[in-house]
Structures are given as C-alpha cells and as structure tokens.
Amino acid sequence: MTDTASSAPVRPAKDVLYQRIATEEAFAPPEMLEIYRKILAKGDVDPGFEGLMGFYMSSPSERAQHIMRCLTDLDQIRLGHMDEAGIDRQVIALTSPGVQVMDTATAVSFSRLANDQLAEAVRRHPTRFTGMIAVAPQDPTAAAKEIERGVNQLGMNSVIINSHTQGEYLSDPKFWDIFAAAEAMGTPIYLHPNSLPRNMIQSFQDCGLDGAIYGFGVETGLHAMRIITAGVFDRFPKLQMIIGHMGEALPFWSYRLDYMHQATVRSKRYDSIKPILKKPSDYLRENFFITSSGVAWEQAIRFTQEVVGVDRVLYAMDYPYQYAVDEVVAMDKMLMSADDKKKFFQTNAEAVFKIPPRPETRRRAP
Ligand code: 1DF
Ligand code: MN
C-alpha cells in the first residue's frame, strides 16, 4: 500500500446503484435554543434535559460545539457533510427533546414555527431534504391538528415524537387522538429517544449510562413496548411507527417478549397486561419500521431484516450526533443482495416518507 492510499480519507463510492437516504437526522432552530436557555436557567430543571441539551449548549468541547453548529444549519454546512458522506437525502426532524420539555402553550406554538422553518428549508433544497412534523403531545388535540396541517399545507408525511413527555407515555389513552390523526393521515410516527424521565434517571446517570450509550435505548424500547401492550395497534391497526437504533434492541428481545407476554397474560398478574390480538413480535413486523441509526453493524442489520422483513429496515445516520463517513463505506460493503441493499438505503424510505422517486440518472457508472 502506498503512503497516499493509506492516508487518503475514506469516501463512499459515487457509482452505487442506489441513493442513500438517511432517515433520523436532526436540526435545531436557534429560537428553540433560546427557549431551552430559559428553561435551563429556572430552578429544578429536569435532570435528563440538563444532562443532555444543557451539556451540548454549554460544553466547550470540540464535539459539542461542532454538533451545535451542524444542528442549527439547514444549508451549506449540512449539504457539505451530506456530499462528503455520500448522503443524497436527509429526512430531518426537530432534535430531541423538541418541544416536549416546554410548557403546553409554548410547545404548541413553537412546534408550528419549527415546522414552518423546516418546510422552508425543504423548499430551498427539495431534492436533498424531507421534513418530519413536530408535535406537542402535551396538547393531543393541537398535535392532531398540526399533523393535518403538516400533511395538507407543508407537504410532510411523517411525525416525530421524542419518547416520553415529561414522564408520560403514549400508552395512556389521553394521547390517542394523536394516533387517530396519524392513522387517518397515513403518517408514520417516529418514536425517537428522549433523555430519561426524572423517576428513572438516577441509576443510569450515576454511572454515566443514561444517554445514547444505553439509557436512550432502554427507555425508548420500553415506550414502544408500552404502546404495544396497551393495545394501541388493536385500536389503530393501520398505524405505523418507526424506531431507530436497530429497533432499540426489540428484535433481539422478540422471543422473550412473546413468551413472557403470554405467560403474564395467562397468570393474570397485572391489570395492565390484558390480552391483545397478536404477539408483541407480530406488531413489530406489521406496525413498525426500524432504522439503523447509530448502529452501522452488518450482523445486527441482517438479523433485523430476518426478524421483521427486508421491507421494514431503513438506513439512518443520526446526523450530527453520529456523523461518521467510514460507516457509510461499511454499509455499502454489507453482504446483501443488490435488491435488499437498495430497499435498505433508498426505496423503503421513499415508501415510508412518501418521497417521490427520482430518475436514475444521477448515479452513473464511471
Ligand atoms: C444523542 C444521540 C443526542 C441521539 C440526540 O439528540 C440523539 C447524543 C439530542 O449522543 O447525545 O438524537 N441519538 O439518536 O442517538
Ligand atoms: Mn437521534
């Protein structure tokens, strides 16, 4: 190997037979950070929020400052990184926790403002960006209306919810107007991680495992399980949800979830575990799409494709929190049929987010 070859930066190939659509990419309007600053300045701040956005917004570390610059950009910085990493399109959502830490009135009005800003960026870069609709679960009626406005007026076709809202879970029927609207409008809900709620965080935070390393996955997986076991998909059978980080490990748990769910129902041990129509893993296969955000790991991706089907596993990068060009190169090399790889990188995302397919002219073999 020559010196030049070993020191050249790895760059994803341009002549691949698919577009790369990254589906869990984040942005933050500067106005939201101003609201966050006010929340953080008050006494008795939520410890998870303080540990997450409080950290990114105040840390002098290169990583944190870089992430803040990327988060607030919806133009040249982001497009430059996408070009460098070979990402054709980002599906972009308001970064976690979005409006879910705000008081109800602020959350409702800011979700509209954020959606307008994102729609504007999509209008500037229609071939590069797709937007998700941010909603305030604090006001389910307003959230349902915002889903309709997002679809009908802003041309967006998916919804972002960052797991729990101030410790409350969507398994509570008081939130189900949101599911009704999402089902009626045909908009999948991306259930993205949030920092751990107050009553859960201590034994994760005191060892530094509350964040994306482990806590996020545990809590978001729990949230998905609460939704499944509460019978949400029996009530809203067409509702589709998306979960990242390789399904927050739920595919790997499937066998045990199915066995123990049935055992728990039969033993009548909890009022909250009532019979549901199907096994938990059936809902994973029929009502969830799973993205590879943060997990550029071939074995996990192929295992998940086997468990839920190749039509339900999508590529995601998790920009800017996990901007890693070498991971794109690794994903390109996965041992997988050309058809399945194209589903993973491109066509599943086009179907889920209703992205109009582009003519195949952009990538030509050299
Ligand atoms: C982190 C990770 C932050 C993810 C995120 O949003 C996030 C992190 C505030 O590493 O602190 O979306 N993630 O999805 O893994
Ligand atoms: Mn993320």
Side-chain angles (χ1 to χ4, degrees):
M1 201 191 278
T2 66
D3 280 345
T4 352
S6 60
S7 61
V10 234
R11 284 292 165 83
K14 287 201 192 331
D15 59 344
V16 290
L17 299 169
Y18 42 82
Q19 289 174 31
R20 300 186 191 91
I21 303 178
T23 58
E24 191 198 298
E25 319 308 306
F27 89 111
E31 296 88 338
M32 182 166 84
L33 303 178
E34 281 315 307
I35 297 173
Y36 282 1
R37 263 183 247 289
K38 286 189 192 129
I39 295 174
L40 289 162
K42 278 190 238 156
D44 197 29
V45 186
D46 176 77
F49 180 61
E50 190 161 38
L52 182 65
M53 291 321 282
F55 168 75
Y56 282 116
M57 290 170 59
S58 65
S59 166
S61 75
E62 175 52 37
R63 174 176 153 81
Q65 303 227 338
H66 179 73
I67 284 174
M68 293 313 296
R69 270 194 304 278
C70 298
L71 273 178
T72 46
D73 177 272
L74 285 169
D75 292 287
Q76 294 321 315
I77 297 176
R78 186 175 296 256
L79 291 169
H81 284 145
M82 289 168 67
D83 291 342
E84 183 179 58
I87 303 300
D88 292 275
R89 182 186 287 275
Q90 283 193 344
V91 183
I92 303 174
L94 192 63
T95 200
S96 186
V99 302
Q100 291 166 246
V101 277
M102 301 176 190
D103 68 74
T104 304
T106 310
V108 170
S109 68
F110 193 80
S111 65
R112 294 183 187 131
L113 194 106
N115 292 332
D116 288 342
Q117 275 196 20
L118 185 54
E120 189 52 50
V122 172
R123 276 192 288 273
R124 289 196 299 277
H125 309 291
T127 64
R128 307 303 302 276
F129 295 166
T130 294
M132 285 191 223
I133 305 162
V135 297
Q138 294 94 319
D139 183 340
T141 311
K145 281 202 191 112
E146 187 60 7
I147 294 174
E148 289 173 21
R149 189 183 78 97
V151 175
N152 294 330
Q153 291 176 37
L154 304 179
M156 297 182 184
N157 294 300
S158 59
V159 176
I160 179 80
I161 295 183
N162 297 295
S163 198
H164 73 92
T165 302
Q166 299 174 29
E168 295 192 303
Y169 287 89
L170 300 172
S171 46
D172 184 332
K174 78 177 189 183
F175 291 113
W176 290 11
D177 281 355
I178 301 173
F179 291 140
E183 188 189 48
M185 300 303 289
T187 48
I189 298 176
Y190 204 123
L191 191 70
H192 182 279
N194 190 349
S195 53
L196 298 190
R198 220 181 255 280
N199 62 1
M200 185 175 172
I201 197 166
Q202 193 194 338
S203 47
F204 287 81
Q205 203 170 38
D206 68 16
C207 56
L209 295 176
D210 55 306
I213 182 173
Y214 189 62
F216 280 15
V218 170
E219 199 268 343
T220 311
L222 167 71
H223 197 160
M225 281 308 297
R226 290 184 66 127
I227 290 169
I228 290 171
T229 56
V232 165
F233 300 108
D234 292 344
R235 174 83 178 277
F236 306 102
K238 295 206 182 89
L239 175 67
Q240 296 292 321
M241 301 195 77
I242 309 166
I243 42 179
H245 314 100
M246 238 46 258
E248 312 296 3
L250 294 180
F252 202 78
W253 275 88
S254 291
Y255 184 94
R256 190 163 170 78
L257 294 172
D258 287 353
Y259 186 93
M260 285 300 170
H261 181 264
Q262 212 214 21
T264 312
V265 169
R266 270 188 306 166
S267 66
K268 300 189 164 53
R269 186 165 165 189
Y270 300 95
D271 283 342
S272 55
I273 291 272
K274 298 206 176 64
I276 47 179
L277 293 175
K278 301 173 192 170
K279 299 198 292 286
S281 68
D282 292 331
Y283 299 101
L284 276 182
R285 268 191 298 274
E286 294 167 24
N287 298 91
F288 284 85
F289 294 92
I290 290 177
T291 83
S292 67
S293 53
V295 189
W297 187 19
E298 176 171 356
Q299 283 93 332
I301 293 168
R302 286 172 46 197
F303 173 77
T304 306
Q305 286 177 322
E306 269 183 50
V307 175
V308 302
V310 288
D311 295 328
R312 289 195 170 265
V313 183
L314 288 69
Y315 171 69
M317 175 178 265
D318 215 354
Y319 179 87
Y321 298 101
Q322 192 157 340
Y323 175 66
V325 180
D326 59 319
E327 292 183 351
V328 181
V329 177
M331 296 295 87
D332 279 340
K333 286 192 190 138
M334 285 190 295
L335 199 67
M336 193 179 286
S337 75
D339 277 358
D340 289 355
K341 207 178 280 183
K342 185 166 178 163
K343 285 182 178 187
F344 172 72
F345 271 112
Q346 177 185 345
T347 50
N348 289 345
E350 287 171 345
V352 172
F353 298 99
K354 301 191 180 78
I355 299 166
R358 274 202 282 162
E360 302 276 329
T361 49
R362 196 160 166 271
R363 292 189 184 284
R364 254 174 292 154

